[in-house]
Each structure stands twice: as structure tokens, then as C-alpha cells.
Amino acid sequence: MHGVEHAVTRPLPTEKRPDGPEMARPRLHDPTSAYHEAGHAVAFWHHGIRFRYVTLSPRNAAHGGHVYVGRRAEISDPAKMRIEMQLAAAGEIAYGRMFRLRSVSDDDTLLRRFARMAADPASPWLDEDMRNFARMGGDMDAALRAAVPDTVTGPLAWLAIWRDTEHLIRNQLWPAVYAVAWELVFSRHGFTYAEVSAMAVAALEAHAA
């Protein structure tokens, strides 16, 4: 999965690290991409889906970054498709949470957005994350309708998944996302699944203490 953020470089956030000290080291990466990719990486970790590494492109906001997973088996279980949709949504939601954007849109706005995505999941106007979200949503809808004809599918089902992901990233996992993003901003290399796991656990434990 790729989570590329095409964004204008913004000033470094003034928040403190989870362990206290102010951010002081010279910045290597665009923080907009860092929070986007951290959202993806922590969502992968939360669901126990291993990846090889998460990385950013030095001094190149247009490239963004990605979570490199490697080759994966085809998914046919609707429950796993739902998780894939959460993984796709996590980057945008984390980015919006950090930079105080209006990422928590009202239901009608999201429903209209999802209806357009469902009608054209391969649209060039969608970024790769949202194409993945729409493609997996379409596959999930088809699998659910085949199993339970009267089940809720389409934009209404996608909205519920988006809202669950917002709660997960913006509330439950936010200390972990923040910690991983901060390290990505200043790191000269990417981080493996094990390294992200260690950072996430430490951040969540410190937050709970």
C-alpha cells in the first residue's frame, strides 16, 4: 500500500514529543507526509498486519512516502476487506487530525464523496489510498450482497467504516501515530514493522501512565 501526500510544505508543529522535549533537530522530511504515513503504519500494526518498512522521501513533499508491504494474497473475506479499507483511510485521517483540518466531515458530505468513488473507483482524481478504499469497498459490497442480499452496502457501509477509523486513529491510537510521525520527520531512514511496533507500544504505555 502506498500513502502519498501531495501537500504544500507546512511549518513544523509546535507540539512536544510524547516524552516531553521540544522538537529541535534539523528537519529532514515534510511533516505532512510523516503524519500521513504514520497513520497507515500504525493502522497496520494495530491490525497485526506486518509490513517491511515505512519510509519518506527526503526533501521531496511531492513524492511523499509509503508503507512497503510486499506481495500479499488475494482477499475474499468481507471482514478483512473492511480492515483494508481502514488501512487505506488511516493516512488521510491522521494527516487531518494533526493539522487541524476539517477531516471530520458531516455525514452528507462523506456520503456524496463515497457515492462518487463507488461510481468511478479508478478515477484519476482519486489518490492511490482512496482508489484502494473504493476498490476494496466495491469488493466488500459484492461479497456481502452474495452472502446476505438485504445487508447494508455502498456509501452507508463505507461511512460506518470511515467513522470507525476516525475514532481509532484520532483517539485510541493517536499517541502512537504522533510518536512514529515525529521519528519519521527526523530520521534518515525508514522504520521496520518491529521498530514501529516498539514505538507504538512505548507511546501508548506512556500515554496511559
Side-chain angles (χ1 to χ4, degrees), residues 9-25:
T9 302
R10 298 172 183 270
L12 189 64
T14 56
E15 290 192 45
K16 295 182 178 181
R17 286 189 64 185
D19 59 355
E22 294 283 356
M23 298 180 180
R25 289 181 287 172

Side-chain angles (χ1 to χ4, degrees), residues 2-208:
H2 295 267
V4 178
E5 180 60 47
H6 299 282
V8 176
T9 302
R10 298 172 183 270
L12 189 64
T14 56
E15 290 192 45
K16 295 182 178 181
R17 286 189 64 185
D19 59 355
E22 294 283 356
M23 298 180 180
R25 289 181 287 172
R27 194 179 81 202
L28 296 175
H29 301 289
D30 176 17
T32 59
S33 295
Y35 282 93
H36 187 108
E37 298 311 324
H40 287 308
V42 172
F44 271 89
W45 167 77
H46 173 75
H47 287 293
I49 301 174
R50 299 186 69 87
F51 54 85
R52 296 189 183 182
Y53 58 82
V54 55
T55 188
L56 300 178
S57 175
R59 305 187 184 280
N60 187 350
H63 183 276
H66 65 277
V67 177
Y68 182 69
V69 182
R71 192 170 184 176
R72 300 177 68 190
E74 289 294 321
I75 298 172
S76 58
D77 180 357
K80 292 183 178 179
M81 293 175 184
R82 187 181 192 281
I83 290 173
E84 292 294 317
M85 294 175 73
Q86 287 194 317
L87 299 179
E92 179 179 321
I93 290 169
Y95 165 80
R97 163 67 171 80
M98 183 61 219
F99 295 100
R100 279 50 169 195
L101 303 181
R102 194 186 172 203
S103 60
V104 183
S105 301
D106 62 84
D107 286 358
D108 287 342
T109 298
L110 283 174
L111 286 170
R112 288 194 296 271
R113 180 186 183 189
F114 295 152
R116 291 193 299 269
M117 290 165 58
D120 187 7
S123 170
W125 298 106
L126 298 176
D127 65 22
E128 187 170 357
D129 289 335
M130 290 302 96
R131 285 196 295 271
N132 287 335
F133 184 92
R135 178 180 58 82
M136 196 56 62
D139 290 348
M140 182 189 72
D141 289 348
L144 287 173
R145 285 193 295 266
V148 186
D150 60 348
T151 193
V152 175
T153 59
L156 280 174
W158 297 13
L159 176 64
I161 293 168
W162 189 271
R163 292 299 189 212
D164 286 348
T165 311
E166 283 181 333
H167 176 73
L168 184 69
I169 296 297
R170 297 172 66 91
N171 301 307
Q172 184 178 342
L173 297 178
W174 184 248
V177 173
Y178 188 90
V180 173
W182 196 91
E183 293 298 336
L184 279 170
V185 166
F186 296 107
S187 176
R188 295 183 180 276
H189 58 82
F191 296 109
T192 64
Y193 177 89
E195 289 171 324
V196 168
S197 177
M199 285 186 273
V201 169
L204 291 170
E205 288 178 349
H207 180 74

